Amino acid sequence: MRVFLILLMLCLPLSLHAQGAATLVADSVVLTQDEQLIATGNVEVLFDGSRLTASEIVFDRASDTLQIIGPIVVQAADGTIFTADRATLDPRLENGILQGARIVLDQQLQVASNQIDRRDGRYSQLYKTTATSCRVCGTQTPLWEIRAERVIHDAEERQLYFRNATLRVRGIPVLWLPRMRLPDPSLERANGLLVPEQRNTTQLGFGIKLPYFITLGDHRDLTLTPYVSPETTTLELRYRQAFANGNLTVEGAISDDTLLPEARSYLFAEGGFDLGDDYQLNFDIETSSDPAYLLDYGYSDIDRLESAVQLLRVMDDTLFNARLTNYELLRDDEEDASLPPIIADLSYETRYEPAFGGVLRYGASLDVAYRYSTIDGDAGRDVGRIGATGAWSDSWVLPYGFVADMQTALRADVYFVSDDIAFENEDLRVAPSVGATLRWPLGRVGTADATHLLEPVVSLGWAETYGGTPPNEDSLRTELDRANLFALSRYAGDDRIETGLQGAAGVTWTRLGGRGFNSVLSFGRMFRQEEQDGFTKTSGLDGRNSDWLLAGQFTAPGGFLFDTRSLWNGVQDLTVIDSRIAWQNDRISLGANYVWLGPDPEEDRLETSSEWTVDAGFVINDAWSFDVDARYDLAAERPVRAGAVLQWRNECVTVDVSASRRFTSSSTVEPTTTFGISGSIGSFSTGRATGCGNE
């Protein structure tokens, strides 16, 4: 029968009385005449958050020590696990010697040693040591290990200090260091080198990145990454800081390379702060020394730099938004005239439900588009707008299941234009509008528990503008889709309003299958009394009548998706098609996008544009995975880009090998091929362990 004793009351020294009680549980406990307590059989000792199990424990009151015979397992209060064959410890299990010992830190990194000396409950000194995060199976050599003459583990600072250390891969020595420091795997942040990354490009040659992480307190850190190759000397940086009410991230680099004679650099910064009273301050800063720098170094493939600061407040019934944006163009075929470099906008909108029913919305807004040039016309035109709007809407359920929606609105805008004699310096525009929509949802439950919903929709609207015609700065790119088919105005911004009498008709069929097979199909078209300016041919909205819209989506169990949208100017005249097909399960992810656009001189596209974009990922087994992506220009019959990443990973090592090719070229960038290899040794996670012998 097991015996339960409170050692504090029987035999522990008086110095331990004020520190708490130790509990011992064993099959047999004997108290000898020379004040030795001998516990044998399934022995457990619990004290101050630590737990020890062994086959036998001898407590000697005179020496105040525990002689322990293994197999021994000590689970410390901080989560560290010790195992040993024999040990001599103090009653608090903090100081002493463990022979034939092993430490498991944070259930991840295991360190084996001939002997471990525990001191002050903080330091563990290990002799003839082997450390690895790989699974060790019997006498099999782990994939990687560090062997050291001596290791000191500081439990308080959570650091490991190695002396005379050798890194071995499959038992073969590959690196020797007289001294080395590694963080305890339970430590999330510590100064030190991160895993290097190799990058090889046709423009910059073979290069090495060696990141160094620097902690700047509990809420800040800095990562400096020297990048060196025969063609460049680069220093990359990343700074992060967390505040009580927000966060800040800054990334950048500065380079001295052979591609350009002058120094090159970029800087991206973003952050957000809670100002109280539901106000949010957000900012995003992007700048680059030259248009090709981001592509040459693989930092980003964006074609416009957008720097903005925003003050936002979103409430249940009000919206306030103030935003200042600066654009920097990186494309060869885009001029300042096509996009004002500075855009400012301010808007406020609120709503409430009046006593007579419906929802009443009203608000005010201010927009400014500024160009640096003072040349007359598009290249130098500056535009400012101050506007106010009010709208009322309501809906009713009519007999026989009809649903009617009605809305009416009135808006007024004052425009201020400079550096363009084609427009008045000051102009007032007033625009009333009214519209109604009638829907008739028809539902039916079919075979196999499938639910069908057929919804014919018709709408009728009218709008008119009184006053001048302002320049068009924000409504240059609009396309017909399911979201705006029944809208009163389909222009993307405020500078243009669809006028005259207009109508739209369409039908949507939705099927919800009982077995997870779902589909949606929409078909419709809109009609106008008069043509509108600003719509291009491939927008589907030019002319008095729009193109026919045909859109659909189909989903099936097992992760299958097909989504498509197309515009037809007649039965056989296709204007636009945009489709995606995808399939995904636990091991395979496949996706493909197809885009076809007809010629459109107003969008600077004189030829048909047709492209495929393909992405796929394969989990070959628990260790190997493979990802590929590609983009091919069918119209030009040439590839645009392609890339592949092969990853091998087990419980202690991750290795990524990548290759990519960018085929496009211009006056600022050249086609580039990039090869890279990166990895990490010991993320100390055992979650992907493949089992012994399968590493």
Side-chain angles (χ1 to χ4, degrees):
M1 184 179 68
R2 306 191 72 183
V3 179
F4 177 86
L5 295 175
I6 304 297
L7 296 183
L8 172 64
M9 301 174 60
L10 294 180
C11 58
L12 287 185
L14 294 176
S15 61
L16 195 59
H17 284 207
Q19 300 170 355
T23 302
L24 181 144
V25 181
D27 291 339
S28 174
V29 177
V30 177
L31 184 61
T32 66
Q33 293 181 350
D34 54 356
E35 295 186 326
Q36 283 190 339
L37 184 142
I38 303 175
T40 58
N42 297 315
V43 181
E44 291 188 35
V45 177
L46 306 174
F47 183 79
D48 207 17
S50 298
R51 179 176 178 268
L52 180 148
T53 62
S55 60
E56 180 178 331
I57 293 180
V58 177
F59 173 71
D60 188 344
R61 182 186 181 99
S63 62
D64 195 26
T65 59
L66 294 172
Q67 299 292 331
I68 310 171
I69 299 176
I72 304 168
V73 178
V74 180
Q75 293 178 305
D78 61 1
T80 302
I81 299 176
F82 299 87
T83 64
D85 298 329
R86 300 180 64 89
T88 301
L89 298 172
D90 66 4
R92 291 182 59 86
L93 311 180
E94 292 181 340
N95 303 313
I97 299 175
L98 296 90
Q99 296 175 336
R102 184 187 300 268
I103 302 178
V104 180
L105 299 173
D106 199 32
Q107 300 183 8
Q108 298 171 10
L109 178 66
Q110 49 186 317
V111 184
S113 176
N114 289 343
Q115 178 177 309
I116 299 178
D117 293 348
R118 290 274 289 167
R119 299 179 182 177
D120 303 328
R122 170 179 175 179
Y123 300 101
S124 297
Q125 189 164 214
L126 301 86
Y127 301 93
K128 301 298 182 182
T129 304
T130 299
T132 184
S133 63
C134 298
R135 177 171 294 186
V136 180
C137 304
T139 60
Q140 180 180 340
T141 303
L143 179 61
W144 71 267
E145 60 182 337
I146 299 174
R147 294 189 180 183
E149 181 180 328
R150 183 162 57 98
V151 176
I152 297 176
H153 176 229
D154 187 337
E156 184 174 312
E157 295 293 334
R158 291 185 288 181
Q159 298 286 340
L160 292 164
Y161 300 91
F162 293 78
R163 300 292 185 269
N164 194 19
T166 303
L167 173 65
R168 295 173 177 248
V169 178
R170 286 298 187 192
I172 301 174
V174 296
L175 178 65
W176 173 80
L177 292 171
R179 292 176 180 268
M180 180 175 65
R181 176 183 61 83
L182 291 176
D184 180 319
S186 65
L187 182 63
E188 296 182 357
R189 293 157 44 87
N191 295 338
L193 292 170
L194 304 179
V195 178
E197 177 186 350
Q198 180 272 326
R199 188 172 186 265
N200 186 13
T201 75
T202 53
Q203 288 186 294
L204 300 175
F206 181 89
I208 293 292
K209 293 185 177 183
L210 190 62
Y212 189 86
F213 183 81
I214 305 170
T215 60
L216 303 173
D218 294 336
H219 311 292
R220 296 180 296 169
D221 58 59
L222 175 66
T223 303
L224 298 175
T225 306
Y227 171 32
V228 180
S229 79
E231 308 297 332
T232 184
T233 300
T234 297
L235 179 63
E236 303 173 356
L237 66 88
R238 185 191 67 179
Y239 175 80
R240 301 184 303 176
Q241 182 168 356
F243 300 88
N245 62 334
N247 60 82
L248 169 67
T249 300
V250 180
E251 295 182 353
I254 183 169
S255 301
D256 182 11
D257 59 33
T258 59
L259 302 181
L260 290 179
E262 65 273 4
R264 312 174 73 186
S265 62
Y266 90 97
L267 181 69
F268 287 177
E270 64 178 0
F273 295 90
D274 184 359
L275 303 182
D277 198 22
D278 294 310
Y279 281 97
Q280 290 283 336
L281 177 64
N282 305 310
F283 62 88
D284 187 358
I285 299 173
E286 299 177 348
T287 183
S288 178
S289 60
D290 58 88
Y293 183 63
L294 298 176
L295 280 175
D296 288 343
Y297 284 78
Y299 295 133
S300 177
D301 58 357
I302 57 176
D303 53 12
R304 294 187 185 96
L305 299 178
E306 180 180 346
S307 299
V309 58
Q310 178 190 42
L311 181 62
L312 179 67
R313 188 189 193 207
V314 180
M315 304 286 289
D316 292 340
D317 55 358
T318 60
L319 171 65
F320 174 83
N321 181 39
R323 182 181 176 92
L324 178 64
T325 306
N326 177 75
Y327 292 98
E328 185 178 348
L329 309 180
L330 301 180
R331 297 175 58 178
D332 294 338
D333 59 349
E334 197 167 42
E335 300 178 356
D336 291 341
S338 64
L339 186 67
I342 296 180
I343 301 290
D345 58 270
L346 174 68
S347 63
Y348 173 82
E349 181 179 337
T350 187
R351 67 173 186 173
Y352 76 98
E353 298 180 1
F356 54 82
V359 177
L360 184 62
R361 297 178 175 86
Y362 60 90
S365 59
L366 182 149
D367 300 326
V368 175
Y370 176 79
R371 294 175 174 85
Y372 300 120
S373 174
T374 58
I375 299 176
D376 183 72
D378 291 345
R381 181 178 61 234
D382 302 324
V383 180
R385 181 190 67 85
I386 300 176
T389 182
W392 173 83
S393 61
D394 203 353
S395 62
W396 303 269
V397 177
L398 305 179
Y400 304 105
F402 286 95
V403 179
D405 301 304
M406 183 175 182
Q407 56 181 318
T408 182
L410 177 66
R411 59 178 299 175
D413 300 287
V414 179
Y415 281 84
F416 304 90
V417 182
S418 61
D419 297 328
D420 193 339
I421 60 174
F423 299 92
E424 298 289 337
N425 291 338
E426 297 181 8
D427 213 344
L428 172 65
R429 184 190 64 184
V430 178
S433 62
V434 62
T437 302
L438 185 64
R439 307 172 185 271
W440 194 21
L442 303 171
R444 181 177 76 88
V445 177
T447 59
D449 295 328
T451 301
H452 298 264
L453 177 64
L454 185 67
E455 187 178 46
V457 183
V458 294
S459 69
L460 185 65
W462 171 88
E464 192 56 76
T465 59
Y466 301 95
T469 301
N472 185 10
E473 295 284 357
D474 61 5
S475 298
L476 299 175
R477 294 289 186 268
T478 302
E479 289 188 2
L480 179 65
D481 57 32
R482 283 177 289 185
N484 61 21
L485 176 60
F486 300 102
L488 272 175
S489 180
R490 294 157 193 84
Y491 286 108
D494 297 320
D495 292 342
R496 286 291 181 268
I497 298 174
E498 289 188 73
T499 58
L501 188 65
Q502 59 175 283
V507 61
T508 298
W509 169 67
T510 304
R511 180 187 182 275
L512 302 178
R515 299 179 181 178
F517 293 90
N518 303 323
S519 57
V520 178
L521 183 64
S522 298
F523 180 73
R525 192 183 194 187
M526 61 88 57
F527 311 90
R528 299 190 188 95
Q529 184 182 23
E530 54 191 56
E531 295 187 10
Q532 308 293 312
D533 296 330
F535 291 121
T536 65
K537 179 180 179 181
T538 53
S539 70
L541 293 166
D542 64 323
R544 294 181 59 182
N545 301 329
S546 75
D547 291 353
W548 290 97
L549 169 67
L550 178 62
Q553 184 181 92
F554 175 75
T555 59
F560 180 81
L561 166 71
F562 176 70
D563 188 275
T564 185
R565 178 185 69 99
S566 60
L567 300 177
W568 299 79
N569 187 12
V571 178
Q572 297 181 340
D573 191 0
L574 178 64
T575 306
V576 173
I577 185 169
D578 180 4
S579 300
R580 175 168 179 81
I581 186 171
W583 176 62
Q584 181 177 359
N585 62 18
D586 293 338
R587 289 192 173 272
I588 299 177
S589 174
L590 301 175
N593 285 71
Y594 176 70
V595 177
W596 188 94
L597 299 173
D600 195 337
E602 294 183 63
E603 294 188 1
D604 299 324
R605 186 174 59 254
L606 302 180
E607 303 291 338
T608 297
S609 177
S610 177
E611 284 191 355
W612 272 105
T613 302
V614 179
D615 55 90
F618 307 91
V619 179
I620 302 172
N621 53 38
D622 289 340
W624 291 92
S625 63
F626 183 60
D627 297 318
V628 294
D629 67 89
R631 180 179 170 188
Y632 188 84
D633 190 335
L634 292 170
E637 297 184 347
R638 61 178 177 84
V640 178
R641 71 168 188 269
V645 178
L646 179 65
Q647 182 184 88
W648 179 79
R649 180 177 183 180
N650 70 356
E651 78 278 4
C652 59
V653 172
T654 300
V655 179
D656 291 307
V657 180
S658 62
S660 63
R661 171 70 175 176
R662 177 172 47 81
F663 298 89
T664 56
S665 62
S666 66
S667 61
T668 57
V669 296
E670 296 291 335
T672 303
T673 301
T674 302
F675 299 95
I677 181 170
S678 63
S680 60
I681 297 177
S683 61
F684 304 138
S685 172
T686 59
R688 288 178 59 95
T690 58
C692 299
N694 296 323
E695 298 169 326

